[in-house]
Every structure is written in C-alpha cells, then in structure tokens.
Amino acid sequence: MRINRLPSSGHTTPSPPASPRRSPRYRHGRGKPGGRFTPVGPPGRANLAHRLAWLFLSVLLRRQGIFLFAPLIYISGMLLYMGTVSFDVVPVIKHRPAPGSVYRSPQVYAKLKPEMDADNSSSDAISTIWKASHKGVEWKPCVKRSSGELPESNGYISVEANGGLNQQRISICNAVAVAGYLNATLVIPNFHYHSIWRDPSVLQNDVRVVNKIPEYIMERFDHNMSNVYNFRVKAWSPIQFYKDEVLPKLLEERLIRISPFANRLSFDAPPAVQRLRCLANYEALTFSSPILTMGETLVARMKERSANHGGKYISVHLRFEEDMVAFSCCVFDGGEREKEDMKEARERGWKGKFTKPGRVIRPGAIRINGKCPLTPLEVGLMLRGMGFDKNTYIFLASGKIYNAEKTMAPLIEMFPNLQTKEMLASEEELAPFKNFSSRMAAVDYTVCLHSEVFVTTQGGNFPHFLMGHRRYLYGGHSKTIRPDKRKLALLFDNPNIGWRSFKRQMLSMRSHSDSKGYELKRPSDSPYTFPCPDCMCRANKSNAT
C-alpha cells in the first residue's frame, strides 16, 4: 500500500489501485494508419495538431484536472467558433447628424419659396415693427459738458489708436476718459486722427487733445519716442490702476506712452469717467467731413428710393466675406472649391493656427452653437419670414462677399430693391475711400445709423457701437434685429418645415428683438452699447442725471 505524500488533516488515505495498462491499440499514435482510433486525415500540420490535442486531453483525463480547465476550454472554443463567423452580415449603424449641425438652407428655401411668394398677408412691417417701450418712458441724452478753463495739465499721455474703425473709436474714447480723469493732455497721432475723425472741439473744456507733443518736451527724450516710458496695461484695468500707477509716473516724466490701448479700461467705472466716455463717443467723436458728406449723401439716396415706404429702409450688416467664412470654420454648400478656398484663406491669414497638432475643428458643433455667419440666403429667408415683403428697400453693409455671384442670387431674388454703397454711388464718388477699409466702414456706419431697422448677423465692434449709437438717437431703443442664431440653425436644418410654422417662429424672433430694444447697462456692459443710464436719462425727469 502506498501512502499519500500530500499533507492532510492527520489521517493517511490509501492510494487507489493502479490503472490497468492500456492496450497497445488504444495508445494514440502507435497504431497503424487508418486504425480504429487513429484520426484519418491528410498528413502534415493538421494531423500533428490533432495528435497534440488528443495528447493534451489524455493528460488532463489522467490527472483528473479536466474540471479545472473546463472554463478555459469553453472560452477557447467560443473564440475559435467566433473566429469562423463572418461579420459581413452585421448591419452598419449610421449616426444621424445632430439637428442644426448641417447647412440645409438651400433645401429649406426651395421648399418654402412657393408658399412665401404666394403669401400676401404681410402688413407694412417696416412701419409697424417697433412697438415696445420701456415702462412707457423714453430716454433722452443728458451728458453734461464742463464750462470754464481747465487746470494746468499734469503731463502728456500718448496713445496709439490702431486697428479698424471701431477699435480706433474705443481707444480714443477710453483715452479721453483716462486723460480727463488724470488731468492730462491726450496725444493722438496725426495719421490716425484726421483721416477718419474730426477734431473734437466739443471736449475743449473737459480734456486737452493734441496731435503733436511740444518741442521742449521731446528734447528731454532726444526726440525719440522709444525713450519715453511705455506702460503695458492689462486689459480691462480699473480706473484706480491709472490713479495709483500711471499718475505718479506721469508727474515724474511729464510724458508717458500707453501702447496698446484698446480695451485697457474697465467698463465698470465711476460716473466721472463714464461721463467723459459718453461725451467722447456720442458728442465729440464724429467722422471727418469727406466721410460724413459721403455717408449723408447715401442716406438721402436711400430715403429717396424708399419714398413709397415713407423713406424708411432696412440696413443689414452682412459678414460673409471670405476671411470671415474661413475663420468661422463652418461648412456651407460650396463643395471642394469652398474647402480649398477656405484652406488657402486660413493659411494666408493665420498661418498654421488652424492646423496645429491636436486641434480639432467641429463645424457641426460650431453651427449648433450659432457661431456660423449667416449666408445672404439665410438673411433673406429670415427677413421675409419676419414680414418684410419683396418691395422693401435694404442697404447692405459689407465687404467683398464670398462667391458673391452664387451666394447673393437668392437674397436679390427675395429683395430686388437691395442696395450697396457701390450701387448708390459712382466710382468717382467712392474713389477717395475705396482703398481704405476703415473709411469704407465709416460710410457704411453712417447709412446704417439712420435706417429704420438695423439687422446684425454676426458679433463684433461694428454692430455693438451702432446699437448704442442708435439708442442714443432714438429715445433709448436700438431698433435692431438680433436673430437667435441657435434657433435659426435648427430651423434651417429642417427641409420639411412649412411656411406658416417658419413665419410664426420668425415673427416671434422679431418681437423678441423689439422687447430687447430698451436695455439698461449692467456693471460689466459697455456704455458704447448700453448708454442708459450713464449717458441718457428718462425723458419725464426734470433734472438731468
């Protein structure tokens, strides 16, 4: 009797009797080919694999460990089985684009056009659009001007009013406010100042403004502005920073520079600072005489053409220039040509910004979030839905529209009375402004300012300043349509929408813009967009604030 060598609970267990020797004919691999238990098959790898498999199983059976390996054998068998199954028959799941992520406006236009053309229910929308009032009270300008002489200046502050038209505007207005608050003389370079802006004599009792630094001051710096101390001011700095940091240096040096200067002053400022901002923007800062004359001429021509509507017209700020389309990274319906044009425009304008490793651009998400510029077709559909008929006169303020021959065709079809400054003025009249984008923008600004309805289609300084300026002129109401572009993305991505449903949505959007015409400035808001109450006061109050 053999004794089990494995440790146990203290008892010894007799080993089972030895198994009888197997018959030679059962010993796998020893029989003759074709024997009873020898697998029949072609020689080679397959026969060898079968032998190894049988050998493995026989070892397991001998050791009685088959149950330990059963799960592994089962899983292996399933994997082998699945490996023999063809997945060609498995259906491919296609993900539908999220609503609002695809540009389908041309299909929507094709669907709505017959009903839109047949709709005669529109009233004279341009005369009835603005109905809202701010608690029954209008607002009026009430910016006080100073009288008497200014005290002796604490020194000269030189700023650079660079950038586009409205970047120059915000730089000049903020600089006027800072200089006035510090009792300094403001220096604005000549080449920026007189090409667009008129000399602000309105400020003579509030702030000294010059375009040249006196000779005796420049002698101290060897007539070299690079020797003048330059403050690098953080964006949106509070006015207290200028009092605590800039004023002591100004008193010491008598001349300092602040460059760059745009957006270097917080919108939340004390009344004395806001008063100077209001005075500079709404009263003092006007365009130079050639620009103002050209703009007013075009306004008169627009009113003459729209005489059947009481001289009232719509102005639309359309941002569908090639650089704007490229920067937005949105996809429209231009196919491969559009793709290549935008790729070239991005590389030309921003040199690798959009192709950095790891940068992911999602055009669909951009469209859903309302960040895509509206196309001319979308602007036309929106305005027709808001009740403006095809006889309405529209002034289009824009640069060179991308692929204009194709993209402008639907808008002109919907509004054949559409005008641009190039259509209203001759080449000779526009020649002094043609090669200067800021001067052309100033002409557009003037025509938009005096329209009955202003439509903004994209953000930026141009519409924000216009909205504030229109509030200042029109009793506190901006008379501006600001479309909900997220909602528009959903509507323009629905080719099954009907005209009545679409029009109902557009009229609701129009009404919302009317209700938002009157808005009071919050601490973080710009006084250049929201002049109430810093620059305006209620018309029924006897005392100006």
Side-chain angles (χ1 to χ4, degrees):
M1 178 182 297
R2 291 188 297 174
I3 305 300
N4 187 357
R5 299 180 184 273
L6 295 176
S8 63
S9 59
H11 299 278
T12 59
T13 304
S15 298
S19 300
R21 293 178 62 86
R22 296 178 183 272
S23 169
R25 64 179 179 177
Y26 296 144
R27 296 175 190 172
H28 307 294
R30 295 185 182 181
K32 295 180 181 180
R36 184 177 175 183
F37 289 95
T38 302
V40 179
R45 293 184 180 179
N47 199 26
L48 179 62
H50 285 175
R51 291 180 180 180
L52 291 174
W54 279 110
L55 180 62
F56 178 72
L57 288 173
S58 65
V59 171
L60 291 179
L61 289 170
R62 285 179 184 176
R63 301 296 182 186
Q64 297 182 359
I66 183 64
F67 297 108
L68 295 176
F69 289 91
L72 179 61
I73 294 170
Y74 175 78
I75 293 171
S76 300
M78 289 298 296
L79 291 174
L80 288 171
Y81 170 74
M82 291 175 68
T84 64
V85 177
S86 172
F87 287 93
D88 293 341
V89 297
V90 177
V92 178
I93 300 175
K94 294 184 178 180
H95 296 282
R96 294 185 60 186
S101 64
V102 180
Y103 179 70
R104 291 195 177 97
S105 300
Q107 294 93 311
V108 174
Y109 177 51
K111 168 72 164 48
L112 296 181
K113 190 176 184 305
E115 291 182 80
M116 180 179 69
D117 291 341
D119 185 4
N120 296 317
S121 63
S122 296
S123 60
D124 188 9
I126 199 166
S127 297
T128 60
I129 180 172
W130 308 124
K131 299 177 181 178
S133 64
H134 187 263
K135 298 179 181 179
V137 178
E138 285 195 351
W139 293 74
K140 66 177 182 180
C142 56
V143 182
K144 292 182 179 179
R145 302 184 188 182
S146 298
S147 59
E149 294 183 0
L150 288 166
E152 184 181 350
S153 174
N154 288 328
Y156 292 82
I157 297 178
S158 177
V159 301
E160 292 186 11
N162 291 327
L165 173 71
N166 290 292
Q167 281 182 305
Q168 293 178 33
R169 181 188 285 271
I170 195 171
S171 295
I172 294 171
C173 293
N174 284 348
V176 164
V178 169
Y181 190 75
L182 300 182
N183 188 32
T185 300
L186 177 63
V187 184
I188 301 176
N190 184 42
F191 66 95
H192 287 303
Y193 198 68
H194 290 292
S195 62
I196 300 174
W197 309 106
R198 181 187 292 175
D199 184 21
S201 57
V202 171
L203 296 171
Q204 61 186 355
N205 294 326
D206 288 275
V207 183
R208 295 182 181 89
V209 181
V210 299
N211 55 41
K212 188 178 180 181
I213 301 168
E215 192 73 14
Y216 76 94
I217 294 286
M218 288 304 299
E219 285 178 359
R220 295 181 54 195
F221 302 94
D222 296 328
H223 295 88
N224 187 347
M225 285 298 291
S226 63
N227 293 331
V228 178
Y229 186 85
N230 182 40
F231 272 94
R232 290 284 180 175
V233 181
K234 292 182 179 179
W236 316 115
S237 291
I239 194 65
Q240 193 65 34
F241 170 84
Y242 292 90
K243 185 177 180 180
D244 296 342
E245 303 293 333
V246 176
L247 182 57
K249 194 70 174 178
L250 175 66
L251 292 170
E252 177 187 342
E253 298 285 332
R254 302 297 294 173
L255 171 62
I256 60 168
R257 291 188 299 141
I258 304 178
S259 178
F261 194 77
N263 302 326
R264 290 314 190 265
L265 179 61
S266 170
F267 286 142
D268 189 11
V273 175
Q274 303 296 55
R275 183 187 71 83
L276 290 171
R277 277 173 153 165
C278 298
L279 186 61
N281 186 53
Y282 298 115
E283 298 289 342
L285 200 58
T286 56
F287 296 129
S288 62
S289 293
I291 291 174
L292 200 58
T293 300
M294 185 75 262
E296 290 175 347
T297 298
L298 300 190
V299 170
R301 291 174 185 175
M302 280 300 299
K303 290 185 175 181
E304 181 182 350
R305 283 164 169 74
S306 58
N308 290 338
H309 290 86
K312 296 178 179 180
Y313 61 92
I314 296 174
S315 61
V316 177
H317 184 225
L318 181 62
R319 296 305 314 273
F320 204 70
E321 302 91 345
E322 184 178 69
D323 61 341
M324 176 57 70
V325 177
F327 187 80
S328 72
C329 295
C330 298
V331 176
F332 297 92
D333 61 341
E336 284 300 316
R337 177 195 165 183
E338 177 190 307
K339 185 177 179 181
E340 290 302 315
D341 287 347
M342 296 305 104
K343 183 178 178 182
E344 291 175 7
R346 290 185 195 112
E347 190 59 29
R348 186 170 58 249
W350 297 278
K351 296 190 183 300
K353 176 178 180 178
F354 295 93
T355 55
K356 288 181 180 178
R359 175 156 188 174
V360 179
I361 297 173
R362 297 183 175 88
I366 297 171
R367 184 170 295 281
I368 290 171
N369 288 329
K371 301 298 183 183
C372 290
L374 292 181
T375 65
L377 181 152
E378 291 172 329
V379 171
L381 265 179
M382 177 185 75
L383 291 177
R384 288 295 294 270
M386 288 182 175
F388 300 102
D389 62 29
K390 65 185 302 179
N391 296 318
T392 304
Y393 276 83
I394 292 179
F395 175 78
L396 195 68
S398 71
K400 185 179 179 182
I401 300 297
Y402 171 66
N403 196 12
E405 187 175 350
K406 174 186 175 183
T407 57
M408 285 294 295
L411 178 58
I412 295 173
E413 185 177 30
M414 285 182 272
F415 292 97
N417 291 329
L418 182 139
Q419 305 287 313
T420 65
K421 53 186 173 294
E422 291 81 5
M423 297 166 70
L424 290 169
S426 66
E427 289 187 11
E428 291 77 17
E429 288 176 309
L430 289 178
F433 318 101
K434 196 85 173 181
N435 297 323
F436 303 92
S437 59
S438 290
R439 297 182 193 181
M440 294 288 272
V443 173
D444 278 340
Y445 185 100
T446 304
V447 185
C448 291
L449 181 62
H450 296 285
S451 62
E452 178 64 17
V453 180
F454 172 60
V455 181
T456 173
T457 63
Q458 194 76 358
N461 285 327
F462 187 97
H464 289 158
F465 270 98
L466 257 171
M467 287 168 60
H469 207 154
R470 290 170 65 84
R471 284 189 168 108
Y472 194 79
L473 291 180
Y474 303 130
H477 198 300
S478 66
K479 295 190 174 184
T480 298
I481 291 176
R482 287 183 288 170
D484 183 340
K485 292 171 66 179
R486 291 186 178 184
K487 182 178 287 186
L488 285 178
L490 294 171
L491 295 173
F492 289 143
D493 191 18
N494 181 12
N496 297 318
I497 193 169
W499 172 246
R500 292 180 63 184
S501 175
F502 178 80
K503 187 174 181 179
R504 184 170 61 251
Q505 297 278 0
M506 292 302 97
L507 290 174
S508 174
M509 199 175 293
R510 186 186 100 174
S511 177
H512 182 73
S513 291
D514 184 19
S515 67
K516 286 292 187 178
Y518 290 101
E519 284 189 275
L520 302 185
K521 178 187 176 299
R522 297 167 297 184
S524 60
D525 289 336
S526 166
Y528 309 126
T529 305
F530 303 95
C532 306
D534 291 334
C535 312
M536 305 182 74
C537 49
R538 295 178 186 272
N540 62 340
K541 281 192 175 182
S542 58
N543 296 323
T545 56

